Structure formats: C-alpha cells, structure tokens
Amino acid sequence: MEIRVQAYGKLNLSLDILRRQLSGYHDMRMVMETVELCDDVQISIAEGDRVRLSTNLHYLPVDDSNIAAEAAETFFQELGIPRKQVTIHIHKRLPVSAGVAGGSANAAAVFRGLNQLMGTGLSAEEMRRLGLLLGSDVPYCISGGTALAEGRGEVLTPLCPLPLCHIVICKPRFSIRTADLFGRIDCTKIRHRPDTAGMVDALKSENLGQVAVRMYNVFEDVLDGKQKEVFAIKTALLDAGALGAMMSGTGPSAFGLFDDEQAARGAYERLRAVYPETYLTRNRRELLV
Ligand code: C5P
C-alpha cells in the first residue's frame, strides 16, 4: 500500500518571544502561514519492522536522525500498534535549514500519511500531540493554514486566512542554528515587538497591506556578521514592490508578500540571479486536515 502526501512549507508572518521557560524552551507568539511550495513524501507499508528512507538530496541523513524517519518510529511506538516496514521517499523542494519548517513539514506529512495507510483514524489534535514529541513546529505543520502559535508553538488558534497573494522566498547561502539564535535572545531586553493583535485584526478585515506592514520578527534584531545579509534581501524585496518583507523563523530565509504577480516575478528573477535558492509561490489557504 502506498500514498503520496505533500509537505508544505511554513512562514512566520510575525514572531515574538515572550519569556524563557524553566525547561529552556521559550514561550512564543507567532502568526503562521502555509505556502504552496512543498516536498513530495511517498510512503509505503509492507510486512516487516524497519523504516527505510531516501531523498533526492545526497547530503541529507537517511537514518533515524532524519525527523521523517523519527516520525515513523514515533507513530508505531506511541500508538503501540504492530509495526510495519515503512518505506519513505522524500522529494525535497523546500530549502533545508532555512526557517520554512522543511523537516517539521516532512514529519507532519509522515504522520498524516501513516494515519491514512494504517487506518488509525487519529484526529488532527492527536497527530499534533505526536508532533510535539519531535519538534515545536511539527504540531502547526499537521494542519497548516493561518494560525496563531503560542506556548512552544503547539498552542494553536486558527485565524482568518491571509488573502491569497504572491510570495517570494529567498535563502542566502549560509545557515543559522536555531538553538544559537535562541541563545542570543534576552527576553528582558527586547525593545521592539510585533503588533500581533493588530495583525490579527488586519487578517479579520482581509487587508493584505495592513498585514504586510505589521510583519516583524524579533530574531532579526540579534542577527550579526554575515547574517545581516538578510536585511539586503529584505530591502531588495521591498524595492521590487513587496508590501512587506521579513525573515521567517530563525532564518535565514527572508520572504516578501506581493499583491502584484508581475512585481513578484520581477523580484524572484532579480534575487534568483544572486541566490539560487529563491522561490516564487503563493500562500495555501486550505487546511491539510
Ligand atoms: O523544538 P525544536 O527541536 O524545533 O527546537 C530546537 C531548539 O530551539 C530547542 O532546542 C531550543 O533551543 C529552541 N527553542 C526554544 N523555544 C521554542 C522552540 C525552540 O528555545 N519555543
């Protein structure tokens, strides 16, 4: 039995960090969005008890250090159901280590796919619980859509969907370690924070421009050295007509929202000439489950 599921990328339309928990994790307040840009995840089950993983990118791990393999292991372990041989092939299109939740989206896709293949009938909520065992962004990636994410990222409230728009995502050549960037945040010293309530209102009134001007990520204020190239990408996006531009998550990808397709295409072509990992996509309004 085989199934093919899509693992859609996520963007943060805003990202605020409220406090550091005793656990070391941080309490977040983020507005999340899903994009059409996705990885294809092909999953098949047969008799046996191993998880076998392959991808189209030779440098990605295919053992259980890959979060997609870990998701399959977790699925059987947590549900306590008889194991199967699970064969997963991931065709990656989402940039890796980029702040668009590529790994988390893959794990969420494995949960959705195995839930269907195994006929386990898990609710979205039950899959989100499994997801949190693997990472803070996985619960959001189960259903996607426009949502407020609080707590570690697992306390999710659906929001009015972002109006359909054109999005250019650009990843510079370096990567940023999530834990390093969190380590640079001192919650008592954050001077500028996003107007999350204002963004939620702008979503309610379906006003793309008002959402775009409220895009803000507190992580941008602790970027240093070559990481500041993110600002050059944001400036290029705004110069090309983006209504707003921001770094997603812990970066380093920056993205711009456009209401005009030609302007978005122009930005995409200009940036792609410098940064090969540049993508033109749209937001995806439908929930995945
Ligand atoms: O949950 P995840 O594995 O994606 O988190 C990676 C790292 O990011 C954590 O080890 C932690 O350092 C940091 N993190 C955090 N607070 C969150 C989410 C992640 O401090 N809410």
Side-chain angles (χ1 to χ4, degrees), residues 56-77:
N56 60 323
L57 298 182
H58 64 88
Y59 53 85
L60 287 184
V62 289
D63 60 10
D64 55 13
S65 69
N66 186 307
I67 192 169
E70 207 189 333
E73 297 285 355
T74 301
F75 184 88
F76 289 97
Q77 228 161 55

Side-chain angles (χ1 to χ4, degrees), residues 33-276:
E33 181 64 3
T34 298
V35 292
E36 292 285 357
L37 184 67
C38 64
D39 297 339
D40 292 329
V41 181
Q42 207 171 315
I43 308 170
S44 58
I45 52 174
E47 288 313 311
D49 59 5
R50 287 188 50 214
V51 174
R52 299 191 310 188
L53 176 68
S54 58
T55 81
N56 60 323
L57 298 182
H58 64 88
Y59 53 85
L60 287 184
V62 289
D63 60 10
D64 55 13
S65 69
N66 186 307
I67 192 169
E70 207 189 333
E73 297 285 355
T74 301
F75 184 88
F76 289 97
Q77 228 161 55
E78 288 292 314
L79 299 187
I81 53 177
R83 296 191 58 116
K84 293 276 182 194
Q85 173 160 294
V86 181
T87 306
I88 305 171
H89 179 76
I90 304 178
H91 182 86
K92 295 289 301 178
R93 286 191 211 91
L94 294 167
V96 175
S97 296
V100 301
S104 301
N106 290 168
V110 167
F111 287 135
R112 287 196 307 270
L114 282 178
N115 192 35
Q116 263 187 269
L117 277 177
M118 297 295 297
T120 32
L122 298 182
S123 65
E125 195 49 50
E126 287 165 319
M127 287 191 273
R128 283 195 273 274
R129 187 190 65 77
L130 292 183
L132 188 61
L133 299 172
L134 303 187
S136 306
D137 276 343
V138 185
Y140 166 76
C141 292
I142 296 289
S143 293
T146 310
L148 182 69
E150 296 173 291
R152 269 175 64 192
E154 84 284 21
V155 182
L156 294 159
T157 310
L159 296 174
C160 295
L162 180 72
L164 204 54
C165 61
H166 303 276
I167 302 177
V168 176
I169 304 172
C170 176
K171 180 187 178 278
R173 284 189 180 76
F174 57 88
S175 289
I176 299 178
R177 277 200 55 230
T178 299
D180 287 352
L181 215 54
F182 270 105
R184 267 188 238 159
I185 293 282
D186 178 345
C187 292
T188 62
K189 292 202 174 121
I190 296 178
R191 291 275 168 270
H192 301 285
R193 294 182 179 277
D195 172 15
T196 311
M199 178 173 280
V200 170
D201 285 343
L203 286 165
K204 256 186 221 152
S205 53
E206 298 181 49
N207 189 326
L208 181 64
Q210 289 297 314
V211 171
V213 294
R214 287 177 174 79
M215 285 165 39
Y216 194 81
N217 180 348
V218 297
F219 279 125
E220 287 182 19
D221 295 328
V222 296
L223 295 178
D224 67 7
K226 71 170 178 195
Q227 295 171 349
K228 293 193 174 178
E229 197 174 340
V230 169
F231 300 127
I233 296 172
K234 281 180 56 177
T235 302
L237 288 162
L238 293 168
D239 286 349
L243 301 174
M246 187 181 126
M247 182 172 83
S248 185
T250 51
S253 298
F255 67 97
L257 302 187
F258 296 78
D259 55 358
D260 182 87
E261 185 172 2
Q262 282 314 313
R265 191 161 291 282
Y268 164 70
E269 274 158 15
R270 217 170 304 163
L271 279 164
R272 199 187 47 167
V274 185
Y275 302 102

